[in-house]
Amino acid sequence: MKPSKDISRLIEIMAALRAPKTGCPWDIEQDFSTIAPYTVEEAYEVADAIQRGDLDDLREELGDLLLQVVYHAQMAEEAGEFVFADVVEAITTKMIRRHPHVFGDEEARSAGMAKGMWERIKAEEKAEKRQSRLARGLDLEDHGKGYLDGVPVNLPALTRALKLQEKAARVGFDWSEAAPILDKIEEEIGELREALASGDTASIKDEFGDTLFALVNLGRHLKLDSEAALGGTNDKFRQRFHHVERALAESGRSLDAATLEEMEDLWQQAKGKP
């Protein structure tokens, strides 16, 4: 087996890894649920390479992510459900269909993307999927019974909160402006204080979650992505803490040996740096 730029070689490699008698024992014992966390992890590593501007890493991480797609398609083929080519056909069909102003006839291209067209196309796709599920004898309700159930459960919690809020807002369930949300955040903090005073762990967790949800809502109204905002703060925290660590090392001290007061002084120094 030799490397190749042809996608068919990657599909062949994955099939060989999953071959019952001659494949890799670890790969053979995996299923959709055990591989799913790796798929999510690889997507994050792609995003990390992009954020760092490392195109060498990006090339490698995109390959790792592509492997995940091929892995899931291989398991689906083994189950007699679909093959990798079906995945490619599905996404090409979707992209062509959702861009009539690019791939449509001359009239569609000249008209451009009409207002509301995107949602109408998605509604048509949803209806077709419903018919497909009916034809396969599947429960139409097992993919979600409510309006918000189309938001994936396994999204990062902050992102899922944002998606839930955005979808609810489309039907008018939303604050009209940001200011009242600040009052809501203060209300939630008050309830969190009460929960802390009670010592009830379940209540503390619940009220803490409510506070985070309200903060995400405020960010949405301020046109801020909570994941991105927190990501920036995470990086800032890491950089400042590294300054503390480096300054201690230069003076022959370690983090473990330093007092909180010493670290706080160095932290304040880091805050003053550009």
Side-chain angles (χ1 to χ4, degrees), residues 1 21 43 46-47 50 54 58 66 70 100 124 126 151 157 172 199 207 239:
M1 187 74 75
K21 294 183 179 180
V46 166
I50 292 171
D54 190 328
L58 178 58
L66 178 58
V70 171
E124 291 172 0
K126 187 174 182 180
V151 178
E207 298 301 342
Q239 291 165 4

Side-chain angles (χ1 to χ4, degrees), residues 182-196:
L182 284 170
D183 296 332
K184 182 63 177 177
I185 291 171
E186 291 174 358
E187 176 188 327
E188 296 295 353
I189 291 174
E191 293 177 0
L192 178 57
R193 291 183 187 277
E194 292 176 5
L196 286 167

Side-chain angles (χ1 to χ4, degrees), residues 22-232:
T22 58
C24 169
W26 186 90
D27 286 293
I28 292 170
E29 69 181 14
Q30 304 309 310
D31 57 31
F32 291 113
S33 61
T34 61
I35 290 299
Y38 296 101
T39 307
V40 173
E41 180 180 336
E42 295 299 351
Y44 276 118
E45 291 183 359
V46 166
D48 178 66
I50 292 171
Q51 186 170 358
R52 290 185 286 105
D54 190 328
L55 296 185
D56 288 329
D57 269 5
L58 178 58
R59 180 183 60 232
E60 181 177 344
E61 298 302 344
L62 285 171
D64 291 345
L65 184 58
L66 178 58
L67 176 64
Q68 295 299 307
V69 177
V70 171
Y71 208 138
H72 286 286
Q74 174 63 32
M75 291 187 289
E77 181 175 359
E78 293 166 6
E81 295 294 333
F82 59 82
V83 300
F84 181 79
D86 296 323
V87 177
V88 176
E89 182 182 33
I91 189 58
T92 53
T93 298
K94 181 185 291 185
M95 289 299 98
I96 293 170
R97 182 174 189 169
R98 290 188 178 183
H99 298 83
H101 54 300
V102 177
F103 302 112
D105 56 26
E106 185 175 345
E107 181 180 352
R109 293 197 304 275
S110 62
M113 190 64 165
K115 184 178 180 180
M117 178 67 76
W118 184 269
E119 291 301 327
R120 287 199 295 274
I121 293 172
K122 290 177 70 174
E124 291 172 0
E125 292 172 352
K126 187 174 182 180
E128 289 180 3
K129 184 179 290 186
R130 182 178 187 277
Q131 291 303 315
S132 176
R133 294 181 70 82
L134 274 172
R136 296 178 66 195
L138 298 175
D139 181 2
L140 293 177
E141 299 297 330
D142 70 0
H143 190 56
K145 298 179 173 61
Y147 176 71
L148 296 178
D149 290 339
V151 178
V153 175
N154 290 328
L155 285 173
L158 291 179
T159 299
R160 186 167 184 245
L162 176 63
K163 297 294 185 183
L164 289 168
Q165 293 167 7
E166 287 177 338
K167 194 164 186 181
R170 292 188 197 126
V171 293
F173 192 78
D174 195 14
W175 299 93
S176 59
E177 56 183 349
I181 306 176
L182 284 170
D183 296 332
K184 182 63 177 177
I185 291 171
E186 291 174 358
E187 176 188 327
E188 296 295 353
I189 291 174
E191 293 177 0
L192 178 57
R193 291 183 187 277
E194 292 176 5
L196 286 167
S198 73
D200 186 328
T201 303
S203 293
I204 293 171
K205 178 182 178 182
D206 188 50
E207 298 301 342
F208 182 66
D210 289 349
T211 303
L212 288 175
F213 193 85
L215 285 167
V216 171
N217 211 354
L218 176 62
R220 181 172 62 88
H221 278 265
L222 296 176
K223 309 300 182 185
L224 298 173
D225 184 304
S226 298
E227 283 284 343
L230 183 57

